[in-house]
Amino acid sequence: MEEVLIEMKVDYLNLPVFPTERLSIQLELIPGNRRAFDIDNRVKAVFDVLEGYLFENDSQIDHLLVIRKPMDKGKARCRVTISEIKEQSSS
């Protein structure tokens, strides 16, 4: 099994926890080899890891963008960007 690094830019002294906010998440999947993989399986694995730490439940996610990036041989990783969706006022 290939080891995958999840890159998170987090200030560990002030961990951004989103207990109830509506969220937008961008995942950049960077494979470490040429083997084919299903994007949906990777997304579920990342959400399982982050649930309970950065957000309470993956049902908070309203917007999801997943990007498969070019291979970086031997350096598989997933870059995760999480942002709160601010309520939009209706006109």
Side-chain angles (χ1 to χ4, degrees):
M1 177 180 239
E2 182 179 3
E3 184 176 314
V4 177
L5 169 68
I6 297 177
E7 293 181 357
M8 293 190 298
K9 294 182 179 177
V10 174
D11 177 351
Y12 290 101
L13 299 176
N14 188 16
L15 188 65
V17 178
F18 304 97
T20 59
E21 290 84 352
R22 306 310 304 167
L23 302 175
S24 174
I25 296 184
Q26 178 176 308
L27 300 177
E28 295 177 54
L29 304 174
I30 303 137
N33 58 43
R34 296 190 188 283
R35 272 188 285 167
F37 65 89
D38 293 334
I39 286 178
D40 59 329
N41 294 336
R42 302 285 171 103
V43 170
K44 180 64 175 149
V46 170
F47 287 176
D48 287 348
V49 168
L50 299 179
E51 192 169 12
Y53 293 98
L54 296 184
F55 50 84
E56 288 297 315
N57 190 286
D58 60 13
S59 66
Q60 293 173 247
I61 301 165
D62 290 339
H63 181 258
L64 172 63
L65 175 62
V66 182
I67 304 167
R68 186 188 319 241
K69 303 291 269 186
M71 181 190 71
D72 188 0
K73 189 171 182 164
K75 297 181 181 177
R77 59 196 181 276
C78 175
R79 188 172 297 125
V80 180
T81 305
I82 302 175
S83 55
E84 181 181 346
I85 297 174
K86 302 290 185 190
E87 287 191 40
Q88 297 177 356
S89 60
S90 42
S91 310

